[in-house]
Amino acid sequence: MSLFGEYPCANLTIPPSYLSYTSASLSIVMTLVTITGNLLVLLAILIDPNKDLKSPFSYFVANLALCDLFVGFVVDPMSAAYHYSEGSARKYPMKLVYLHIPYFISSTASVLSLAALTVDRFWAITSPLSYRIKLNPKRAGFAALGIWAFSICFPFIYLSIGYLTYAFVFAHTVIIATFLVMLLTYLKIFRVFKLKVKEWDNFNQSSKDSQAKRQAMKWEQKVTKTFLIVLAFFLACYLPSCICIYITNLCSSCSCISIHWARDVHFLLILANSGVNPFVYAWRLEKFWKAFVKLLTCCGRCRGSRAVSREAGLDNIAMDDTTSASR
């Protein structure tokens, strides 16, 4: 069993059918959850029913939701189909490269989007005036395009070095390095927060300008804490995934059953992270859940009006038939 290169158990043994079916079932559930939640986030920001989500932070959130939607529409269904075929046919249904390339593209884009959100929070807290002047939606869009360009190009290294080597590189560059940058940035953010809070306490609280600044700081603080929860979920999913990558790469004494378990757990944990973020926004940020409620209410009204229109149309047809019969 080689430690690097291709998947070590590809030609030795097939995963147990219960493992393949479990992975397929979880992939189907994650498809529904990921698409529903992230589509709602994307529509809330693009439509902006309450006109209060047009900000660079929201555009970075939209880019993260777009990355996660790619997971829901492409990677999750492919994972479900692959694992179901693996369990039912008792053989590897296709080359894993067709599943791994979109998987690594979406994972890279998602992680880099989280890093961009971290930089956004750091800039907004430490230099609010410079942040409002220099970071506009156009520049946020260019940053998002840069993230996607790198995310699409970087995973193609996989084609020349193999799955396990690339997974090891991915774990040490994209995941661990990004997490360390985010962690150090957040430590600086909270230090600045303490100083800002002391400054606001010394201001005249009765003045309207001071109250407005305090409200703005409270909003920034809530957004930052919300994003910190997003990072906690990121760590909860990606850290065990990195451990599984180490097991798959370095555990030469592990059985193929253990390797198969590590393979699927590593894969599913990263996919699961894409379905978590929208519910954190809805739980923590009032602007987002109000937009969600308004969108869902509008959808309900549209369905209701269509049903009424259909009933009215049927009634008109029935009346026309009755009139023609009486004639």
Side-chain angles (χ1 to χ4, degrees):
M1 186 184 298
S2 62
L3 298 182
F4 291 96
E6 294 301 320
Y7 185 60
C9 295
N11 299 318
L12 298 177
T13 180
I14 301 297
S17 57
Y18 69 85
L19 177 59
S20 299
Y21 286 136
T22 301
S23 298
S25 301
L26 290 174
S27 296
I28 292 171
V29 172
M30 287 189 290
T31 299
L32 300 175
V33 173
T34 302
I35 290 176
T36 303
N38 287 288
L39 192 59
L40 206 54
V41 169
L42 205 57
L43 289 175
I45 294 171
L46 295 178
I47 297 174
D48 196 9
N50 297 317
K51 307 301 179 186
D52 56 2
L53 289 176
K54 299 296 183 186
S55 67
F57 171 78
S58 296
Y59 289 122
F60 283 127
V61 170
N63 189 56
L64 179 60
L66 190 63
C67 300
D68 294 337
L69 265 181
F70 181 80
V71 173
F73 277 116
V74 178
V75 185
D76 283 336
M78 287 180 67
S79 173
Y82 181 89
H83 287 103
Y84 176 78
S85 300
E86 188 180 67
S88 58
R90 303 304 300 134
K91 65 179 182 179
Y92 294 103
M94 64 178 181
K95 288 185 176 181
L96 278 169
V97 64
Y98 300 113
L99 180 59
H100 286 156
I101 289 295
Y103 167 72
F104 282 121
I105 288 174
S106 60
S107 300
T108 305
S110 185
V111 172
L112 293 181
S113 296
L114 285 170
L117 278 164
T118 307
V119 174
D120 174 90
R121 291 297 83 214
F122 178 74
W123 197 359
I125 299 302
T126 57
S127 304
L129 293 177
S130 172
Y131 173 79
R132 290 179 189 133
I133 294 171
K134 293 183 178 180
L135 188 59
N136 52 40
K138 187 176 180 180
R139 289 179 178 176
F142 279 123
L145 285 175
I147 287 171
W148 276 103
F150 179 83
S151 301
I152 291 171
C153 295
F154 187 66
F156 280 92
I157 300 173
Y158 165 93
L159 297 175
S160 60
I161 64 176
Y163 166 64
L164 290 185
T165 307
Y166 182 80
F168 203 71
V169 172
F170 175 76
H172 284 83
T173 55
V174 178
I175 298 178
I176 294 178
T178 302
F179 173 71
L180 289 175
V181 169
M182 291 189 287
L183 183 63
L184 294 173
T185 303
Y186 263 89
L187 289 174
K188 291 183 178 180
I189 286 175
F190 279 106
R191 287 179 184 174
V192 172
F193 258 135
K194 288 182 180 180
L195 296 174
K196 293 284 185 183
V197 169
K198 289 180 181 179
E199 287 179 12
W200 298 132
D201 289 339
N202 294 329
F203 283 167
N204 182 10
Q205 296 185 12
S206 60
S207 67
K208 291 183 179 180
D209 185 53
S210 179
Q211 288 178 0
K213 288 180 179 179
R214 288 175 67 87
Q215 284 296 114
M217 179 55 67
K218 283 182 180 179
W219 168 249
E220 294 293 351
Q221 190 173 14
K222 192 166 187 177
V223 170
T224 304
K225 286 183 177 179
T226 299
F227 192 61
L228 192 60
I229 295 172
V230 171
L231 290 182
F233 279 110
F234 164 80
L235 181 60
C237 292
Y238 275 81
L239 183 59
S241 180
C242 286
I243 293 171
C244 289
I245 290 174
Y246 276 106
I247 292 172
T248 310
N249 274 281
L250 302 176
C251 187
S252 58
S253 61
C254 292
S255 66
C256 276
I257 300 297
S258 301
I259 295 295
H260 289 315
W261 270 99
R263 178 202 70 171
D264 284 11
V265 170
H266 146 69
F267 195 82
L268 294 172
L269 277 174
I270 291 182
L271 296 186
N273 185 250
S274 297
V276 172
N277 297 332
F279 300 98
V280 178
Y281 303 136
W283 165 46
R284 289 281 304 176
L285 297 180
E286 186 179 0
K287 290 181 181 180
F288 276 91
W289 67 255
K290 280 186 175 180
F292 295 163
V293 169
K294 198 162 186 176
L295 283 173
L296 294 173
T297 303
C298 289
C299 289
R301 286 176 182 173
C302 289
R303 288 178 182 175
S305 62
R306 286 177 184 173
V308 171
S309 299
R310 286 175 184 173
E311 289 178 3
L314 291 173
D315 290 340
N316 291 333
I317 292 171
M319 289 177 65
D320 291 342
D321 291 341
T322 303
T323 302
S324 61
S326 62
R327 288 176 182 174

